[in-house]
Short mmCIF file of all heavy atoms in Angstrom, two decimals:
data_model
loop_
_atom_site.label_atom_id
_atom_site.label_comp_id
_atom_site.label_asym_id
_atom_site.label_seq_id
_atom_site.Cartn_x
_atom_site.Cartn_y
_atom_site.Cartn_z
N ALA A 15 -26.89 -81.40 96.70
CA ALA A 15 -28.23 -81.56 97.25
C ALA A 15 -28.29 -82.69 98.28
O ALA A 15 -28.56 -82.46 99.44
CB ALA A 15 -29.22 -81.82 96.12
N GLU A 16 -28.07 -83.91 97.87
CA GLU A 16 -28.09 -85.05 98.79
C GLU A 16 -26.83 -85.87 98.57
O GLU A 16 -26.32 -85.94 97.47
CB GLU A 16 -29.32 -85.93 98.53
CG GLU A 16 -30.61 -85.28 98.91
CD GLU A 16 -31.79 -86.21 98.68
OE1 GLU A 16 -31.66 -87.15 97.88
OE2 GLU A 16 -32.83 -85.98 99.29
N ARG A 17 -26.38 -86.49 99.64
CA ARG A 17 -25.17 -87.32 99.55
C ARG A 17 -25.48 -88.69 100.12
O ARG A 17 -26.42 -88.87 100.87
CB ARG A 17 -24.04 -86.68 100.36
CG ARG A 17 -23.67 -85.30 99.91
CD ARG A 17 -22.53 -84.72 100.74
NE ARG A 17 -22.67 -84.84 102.19
CZ ARG A 17 -23.36 -84.01 102.96
NH1 ARG A 17 -23.99 -83.00 102.45
NH2 ARG A 17 -23.40 -84.18 104.26
N ARG A 18 -24.67 -89.64 99.75
CA ARG A 18 -24.76 -90.98 100.33
C ARG A 18 -23.45 -91.27 101.06
O ARG A 18 -22.37 -91.00 100.56
CB ARG A 18 -24.97 -92.04 99.26
CG ARG A 18 -26.37 -92.03 98.71
CD ARG A 18 -26.68 -93.39 98.09
NE ARG A 18 -28.04 -93.38 97.58
CZ ARG A 18 -29.09 -93.74 98.29
NH1 ARG A 18 -28.95 -94.16 99.51
NH2 ARG A 18 -30.30 -93.69 97.76
N SER A 19 -23.57 -91.87 102.24
CA SER A 19 -22.38 -92.27 102.98
C SER A 19 -21.81 -93.52 102.33
O SER A 19 -22.42 -94.13 101.46
CB SER A 19 -22.73 -92.53 104.44
OG SER A 19 -23.51 -93.71 104.54
N SER A 20 -20.63 -93.93 102.76
CA SER A 20 -20.02 -95.13 102.21
C SER A 20 -20.83 -96.38 102.54
O SER A 20 -20.75 -97.39 101.85
CB SER A 20 -18.59 -95.28 102.73
OG SER A 20 -18.60 -95.34 104.14
N ALA A 21 -21.67 -96.30 103.56
CA ALA A 21 -22.54 -97.42 103.93
C ALA A 21 -23.88 -97.38 103.20
O ALA A 21 -24.71 -98.25 103.39
CB ALA A 21 -22.78 -97.42 105.43
N GLY A 22 -24.11 -96.33 102.38
CA GLY A 22 -25.34 -96.24 101.61
C GLY A 22 -26.45 -95.45 102.27
O GLY A 22 -27.56 -95.40 101.77
N ILE A 23 -26.15 -94.78 103.38
CA ILE A 23 -27.16 -93.99 104.08
C ILE A 23 -27.31 -92.65 103.37
O ILE A 23 -26.33 -91.98 103.06
CB ILE A 23 -26.76 -93.77 105.55
CG1 ILE A 23 -26.68 -95.12 106.27
CG2 ILE A 23 -27.74 -92.83 106.25
CD1 ILE A 23 -26.09 -95.03 107.65
N LEU A 24 -28.56 -92.25 103.10
CA LEU A 24 -28.85 -90.98 102.43
C LEU A 24 -28.72 -89.84 103.43
O LEU A 24 -29.37 -89.84 104.48
CB LEU A 24 -30.26 -91.01 101.84
CG LEU A 24 -30.66 -89.83 101.00
CD1 LEU A 24 -29.79 -89.76 99.75
CD2 LEU A 24 -32.11 -89.94 100.62
N ILE A 25 -27.89 -88.84 103.11
CA ILE A 25 -27.66 -87.70 103.99
C ILE A 25 -28.30 -86.47 103.34
O ILE A 25 -27.90 -86.08 102.25
CB ILE A 25 -26.15 -87.46 104.20
CG1 ILE A 25 -25.50 -88.71 104.78
CG2 ILE A 25 -25.93 -86.25 105.10
CD1 ILE A 25 -23.99 -88.67 104.78
N PRO A 26 -29.30 -85.85 103.98
CA PRO A 26 -29.97 -84.67 103.39
C PRO A 26 -29.04 -83.45 103.40
O PRO A 26 -28.09 -83.39 104.19
CB PRO A 26 -31.18 -84.46 104.30
CG PRO A 26 -30.78 -85.06 105.60
CD PRO A 26 -29.87 -86.21 105.27
#
Side-chain angles (χ1 to χ4, degrees):
E16 291 182 339
R17 301 181 312 276
R18 285 202 179 270
S19 70
S20 59
I23 298 171
L24 186 64
I25 302 169

